[in-house]
Amino acid sequence: MASFAILIFIISVNIHMSLAIYKLCAFPTMEYHHCKSIEVGNSNVSCVKVIDSVDCAIKLREGKVDFALFSPEESVLLAKDTNTDLKVIGEVRDKFKVDESTQLSMVAIIRKELSGKFSELRGKKYCHSGVGFSHRLTDHFTTYFERKVVPAQCKSWLTAAEQEVNVLNDFFGDSCRPGVWAQTKSLDRRLKWRYPKLCRLCDSTSQCKYNLDRSNSFEAALQCLTRKSGEVTYVPLHEAKKYFGLFRNSNRQNNADDYVFLCKNETTMPITTEFPCVWGKQPWNYLVTRSDVATDLKALMPDWLTTDNVKDWRSNLRYLLIGRYKSYIHNRAQDPISLSTFLNRGGVDDESNISGCRKSLRWCTLNSVEFEKCNWIGKAASTHGFKPDITCIRGQTILGCLQNIAQNKADIMSIYTEYGYIARRVYNLSTVVFEDNTLDGNYKILAVLKNDNQYIKSFQDMRNKKACFPEYNGLSWLSFINTAKMNDILGKTCADYFFGPSCIPGAYNESFVIPGSNRRPQSMCSICPTPINSTDPCTPSESIDINAMMCLSKGQADFAFVNFHGLLSGGDSKTLNELISPDLYKVMCKNGTIVNGLYVDDDCALSTGINSEVIGRSQSSIDRADIVELLLELDKSFGTIAADEEGGVLRMYDEFKGEKNVLFKDSTVALANSDEDLNYNEVNSYTSMLNNVTDCNNSAHQIILSFHLMLFSILGLFLYQ
């Protein structure tokens, strides 16, 4: 169960007190006024915020944090971090289960006439509680029985999602395994159509679900076992005892004596066994510390969390950490124990139990911070049992990563759609998934003029005038071409030859130019200022939209085409960069009207669309489906919605180590499947623009130019003769 809040403490010395002051770090899910309440009076604790459990782990490693309360899934993830020596000093348990060493234990139950040999389960009717329902009890935990009992197979011609279902279909008979088999909706439907046997024991075979809601899915699985001729199920021990009346002073029910517990060693135990064999154990929430402060905090914590009838800051801390219905459990005589040693889920996390034969997904990263975040995502995916594995590749630049992907040295990366056309036409890459943005995160391309410009009153008037763009073949360049084609102002002229002296960075850079295209005119970079630390005035640099506006502001150009959101401070902020005074400019809307100022609506913009996407190389349909499915699984478990609901093992769209736009853009709220989310206006707007652009070397202008050159050659040959 994910913790209500992950709590972190930083030691600092209070010069007015003899005791150290410990800083408690609260997650976004923690109410601020509750957190501040622990600072009342002579408190030894104060609050500070963190983003997620990974943020907590990093602060623990850096010595900025002393301890935290972690959920089981968070503990599994952090135990993979071998760079930090973490100790467990106590547990937080439910009050009515304080004597139970685990929060939940999973048991396998079969009909008593079966011997217990796993091979004898082949063809038997399987009742499962369901997959894809909960982040608190992951599919990796609830499908451990399947991984242990069903022989692993490698069917490389199937997607990873289908392979999992296929081997179950081959092994079990009529069954019910409800839930989400694949995050890709079309694949999920296809799998349930191909393998209907795994839904035949469900209450609704067409929807592959039980009648009971998800909160009662374990009871539904037990009903499938006893009322629908099921032969094997896998449920929590507490649910089994309740269903069969196995608690003390309870009466047997639901034909309890017809069933036995199945053990990992292929033996059985009577259903009346008080302490049966278990397959997987879900621990309680752990209070975890760094090793160098573990002894001190272990001694302090009982006074803070177990003292009754106190009305000072300790009662507020106790409420914040464990609430009204839980208790802090510790062993005074026991030394703090290493987290990796203490954490035992009964083999659930044994990598050898995870079948599959997929090659790793290679994620290209731009710097050390991205590389570290990528590795944490890889570890988190592993704890949830997602396939394929993630391998992080060190890159240096966006264009360098695009080159790596094109050369099969990496598989994916996230890019701004500013580079979308370049990725497609220069490197032959394509969208894997789109990154659904906040509304303020979508791009909005504007045609900007100075207020005192009285000569340009239409797009046609821009011919042979001075222009500034952020970069060649970027969104602003494409938006102009698209608008020009819609207004029929290019005629037979290639866009490269439409303007006069201009600044269009990247026009001579092979990384931005379509292979095989004709040489661009020198005028495309003739008014570019030489960037600092560069001898090439036509090389794009950071702050490309700001640079284009400065080119206009300093009188070097007559107009500029820019992404409005690239002019804002902090990316998603609504405040213009301090270098830009909106009152000095006006915007030419796509319909040819002119509006004063820069704050215009989307209808005025030349184009709007999605801000970012995950890009990849063209691959087999199987490999592509695996990558899409993995990314959608990550989004489900570590995206915005999951983080808001569960508290956040990892918030993969949020900033990381204080830096923004790490791996994903901060404006991302979810991932959109490029093959299925066809009604997404901002995606359609972007892809339509890409499809409407014609390369310069394919234009009528170039055809005519080539024809003229041919005529001159023939004439020269004739004169020579």
Side-chain angles (χ1 to χ4, degrees):
M1 180 177 179
S3 56
F4 169 70
I6 295 180
L7 310 169
I8 310 168
F9 297 72
I10 303 175
I11 293 183
S12 65
V13 177
N14 189 325
I15 60 175
H16 301 294
M17 300 176 63
S18 59
L19 294 178
I21 300 297
Y22 297 85
K23 289 186 178 179
L24 164 65
C25 185
F27 275 64
T29 51
M30 182 182 292
E31 294 185 22
Y32 183 71
H33 68 279
H34 284 158
C35 191
K36 296 300 290 183
S37 70
I38 65 174
E39 301 181 17
V40 173
N42 296 322
S43 172
N44 299 125
V45 183
S46 62
C47 271
V48 66
K49 295 180 179 179
V50 292
I51 296 173
D52 53 30
S53 61
V54 170
D55 190 22
C56 169
I58 293 171
K59 287 181 170 61
L60 280 165
R61 180 198 305 161
E62 295 174 345
K64 298 177 181 178
V65 173
D66 297 310
F67 72 97
L69 182 67
F70 289 121
S71 72
E73 294 302 333
E74 291 160 348
S75 298
V76 172
L77 171 60
L78 299 188
K80 294 178 180 290
D81 180 21
T82 57
N83 296 319
T84 309
D85 186 11
L86 301 178
K87 302 291 186 182
V88 176
I89 61 173
E91 300 172 89
V92 174
R93 302 181 183 178
D94 292 338
K95 281 187 175 181
F96 62 89
K97 298 171 67 176
V98 292
D99 294 329
E100 298 186 19
S101 59
T102 60
Q103 180 180 175
L104 178 147
S105 297
M106 298 296 291
V107 293
I109 301 173
I110 60 175
R111 296 192 68 86
K112 68 179 181 180
E113 58 265 25
L114 299 176
S115 68
K117 296 296 183 183
F118 295 164
S119 60
E120 195 179 15
L121 295 178
R122 183 175 293 276
K124 297 301 183 288
K125 298 175 181 178
Y126 178 43
C127 297
H128 191 267
S129 58
V131 292
F133 290 159
S134 173
H135 305 294
R136 300 184 177 187
L137 201 60
T138 65
D139 294 342
H140 183 59
F141 185 81
T142 59
T143 60
Y144 172 57
F145 171 76
E146 299 171 0
R147 301 197 304 272
K148 188 73 173 176
V149 170
V150 180
Q153 299 180 52
C154 180
K155 299 183 178 182
S156 58
W157 61 92
L158 301 177
T159 64
E162 181 165 4
Q163 178 171 307
E164 179 180 315
V165 177
N166 178 272
V167 295
L168 294 176
N169 187 77
D170 287 349
F171 187 80
F172 291 112
D174 290 351
S175 301
C176 183
R177 190 178 185 265
V180 180
W181 295 356
Q183 295 303 311
T184 307
K185 295 176 183 177
S186 59
L187 177 58
D188 187 63
R189 289 192 299 268
R190 188 162 62 249
L191 293 179
K192 286 168 182 170
W193 176 79
R194 285 181 180 174
Y195 304 101
K197 185 170 70 172
L198 294 179
C199 299
R200 283 180 187 153
L201 291 190
C202 296
D203 297 325
S204 172
T205 57
S206 61
Q207 297 182 23
C208 201
K209 61 183 291 188
Y210 295 121
N211 286 337
L212 292 177
D213 61 31
R214 293 178 180 182
S215 62
N216 291 322
S217 61
F218 294 119
E219 181 182 347
L222 287 163
Q223 288 182 0
C224 170
L225 176 72
T226 62
R227 302 176 188 177
K228 290 202 170 230
S229 68
E231 293 167 292
V232 55
T233 191
Y234 185 63
V235 294
L237 176 59
H238 182 82
E239 294 292 334
K241 285 188 172 183
K242 181 173 65 173
Y243 185 78
F244 287 116
L246 302 178
F247 289 114
R248 290 181 182 178
N249 303 320
S250 298
N251 295 321
R252 302 284 183 273
Q253 56 189 25
N254 294 311
N255 300 320
D257 294 333
D258 292 340
Y259 304 93
V260 293
F261 292 110
L262 172 64
C263 303
K264 288 184 186 181
N265 62 1
E266 301 189 70
T267 62
T268 62
M269 289 184 175
I271 198 72
T272 55
T273 303
E274 185 174 1
F275 300 106
C277 54
V278 300
W279 287 69
K281 300 178 290 185
Q282 189 77 325
W284 296 103
N285 291 355
Y286 291 152
L287 215 54
V288 177
T289 79
R290 293 196 330 269
S291 59
D292 58 327
V293 295
T295 301
D296 292 339
L297 284 173
K298 184 175 175 62
L300 285 169
M301 207 55 61
D303 176 58
W304 291 355
L305 299 181
T306 63
T307 304
D308 293 327
N309 301 319
V310 294
K311 297 298 182 183
D312 59 12
W313 63 272
R314 289 173 295 175
S315 62
N316 297 329
L317 177 64
R318 181 176 179 178
Y319 175 78
L320 197 61
L321 271 170
I322 63 179
R324 295 189 178 94
Y325 307 108
K326 298 182 184 295
S327 297
Y328 177 64
I329 305 300
H330 63 287
N331 186 336
R332 290 182 182 273
Q334 188 179 54
D335 291 333
I337 303 173
S338 170
L339 174 61
S340 57
T341 301
F342 193 83
L343 183 64
N344 177 13
R345 298 211 295 179
V348 172
D349 303 301
D350 183 358
E351 292 293 332
S352 65
N353 290 317
I354 303 176
S355 62
C357 51
R358 302 299 183 215
K359 59 185 179 182
S360 296
L361 170 69
R362 298 165 299 176
W363 201 319
C364 198
T365 63
L366 299 179
N367 50 52
S368 60
V369 177
E370 283 207 347
F371 185 76
E372 184 176 354
K373 183 175 183 180
C374 174
N375 278 312
W376 275 112
I377 290 178
K379 292 173 185 176
S382 176
T383 65
H384 282 59
F386 299 158
K387 289 294 176 184
D389 294 328
I390 295 173
T391 299
C392 304
I393 305 298
R394 292 183 182 273
Q396 294 182 339
T397 65
I398 293 174
L399 297 178
C401 272
L402 293 178
Q403 182 77 9
N404 283 341
I405 297 171
Q407 295 177 351
N408 197 16
K409 297 177 181 177
D411 296 311
I412 65 165
M413 74 173 299
S414 169
I415 62 169
Y416 285 112
T417 45
E418 175 71 26
Y419 298 93
Y421 189 72
I422 296 168
R424 286 163 174 78
R425 299 293 288 116
V426 178
Y427 298 97
N428 197 31
L429 306 182
S430 59
T431 304
V432 179
V433 292
F434 289 103
E435 296 175 29
D436 193 355
N437 310 127
T438 59
L439 294 178
D440 288 337
N442 294 319
Y443 68 77
K444 182 162 70 172
I445 306 302
L446 307 182
V448 183
L449 302 89
K450 279 191 171 182
N451 268 340
D452 57 3
N453 189 319
Q454 303 299 321
Y455 304 100
I456 298 176
K457 299 180 180 180
S458 69
F459 288 108
Q460 188 66 257
D461 293 338
M462 293 181 177
R463 184 182 294 273
N464 298 324
K465 300 297 191 302
K466 297 177 181 180
C468 283
F469 284 84
E471 65 183 11
Y472 187 60
N473 278 334
L475 290 172
S476 295
W477 179 254
L478 303 180
S479 295
F480 162 72
I481 296 176
N482 197 46
T483 303
K485 290 180 70 174
M486 289 190 296
N487 288 277
D488 194 25
I489 64 171
L490 284 178
K492 298 179 180 180
T493 304
C494 172
D496 293 11
Y497 295 85
F498 181 80
F499 300 109
S502 299
C503 181
I504 311 174
Y508 307 131
N509 189 321
E510 291 183 0
S511 298
F512 292 81
V513 176
I514 310 304
S517 60
N518 295 290
R519 183 174 179 81
R520 273 70 51 210
Q522 292 295 324
S523 60
M524 294 183 77
C525 284
S526 60
I527 65 172
C528 291
T530 302
I532 299 175
N533 301 324
S534 175
T535 58
D536 184 0
C538 208
T539 297
S541 58
E542 294 184 4
S543 305
I544 55 177
D545 293 288
I546 296 292
N547 291 342
M549 282 296 291
M550 290 301 97
C551 176
L552 173 63
S553 173
K554 294 176 181 179
Q556 294 164 316
D558 298 304
F559 49 84
F561 290 83
V562 295
N563 179 4
F564 175 74
H565 294 295
L567 308 179
L568 304 179
S569 299
D572 289 337
S573 169
K574 295 184 179 180
T575 303
L576 277 170
N577 186 287
E578 60 184 6
L579 297 175
I580 299 171
S581 299
D583 295 340
L584 298 179
Y585 304 99
K586 55 187 176 182
V587 173
M588 182 175 291
C589 299
K590 61 185 176 185
N591 64 1
T593 60
I594 295 178
V595 179
N596 291 326
L598 294 176
Y599 291 97
V600 299
D601 59 30
D602 289 354
D603 290 335
C604 173
L606 301 190
S607 69
T608 61
I610 197 133
N611 184 49
S612 50
E613 59 186 323
V614 176
I615 207 81
R617 185 179 58 262
S618 296
Q619 301 195 51
S620 70
S621 59
I622 299 298
D623 289 339
R624 176 181 170 79
D626 281 350
I627 294 173
V628 171
E629 187 65 19
L630 172 61
L631 291 170
L632 295 180
E633 287 278 14
L634 292 174
D635 178 64
K636 182 198 74 171
S637 295
F638 311 123
T640 304
I641 296 176
D644 288 343
E645 290 180 350
E646 307 296 338
V649 173
L650 169 67
R651 293 172 175 259
M652 69 179 189
Y653 303 136
D654 286 17
E655 65 181 57
F656 184 77
K657 297 186 76 171
E659 295 194 23
K660 294 182 176 296
N661 301 312
V662 181
L663 284 187
F664 293 98
K665 310 304 173 272
D666 288 351
S667 60
T668 304
V669 294
L671 299 181
N673 190 338
S674 59
D675 297 327
E676 293 191 338
D677 296 325
L678 303 179
N679 295 319
Y680 190 0
N681 292 336
E682 298 303 326
V683 169
N684 293 338
S685 174
Y686 168 62
T687 55
S688 295
M689 182 176 71
L690 295 183
N691 294 333
N692 195 40
V693 173
T694 304
D695 297 336
C696 185
N697 56 311
N698 294 328
S699 68
H701 173 85
Q702 293 299 320
I703 295 173
I704 293 172
L705 180 62
S706 299
F707 179 69
H708 286 170
L709 290 174
M710 182 180 68
L711 287 178
F712 284 132
S713 298
I714 294 174
L715 180 61
L717 180 64
F718 175 78
L719 293 175
Y720 176 77
Q721 292 177 337

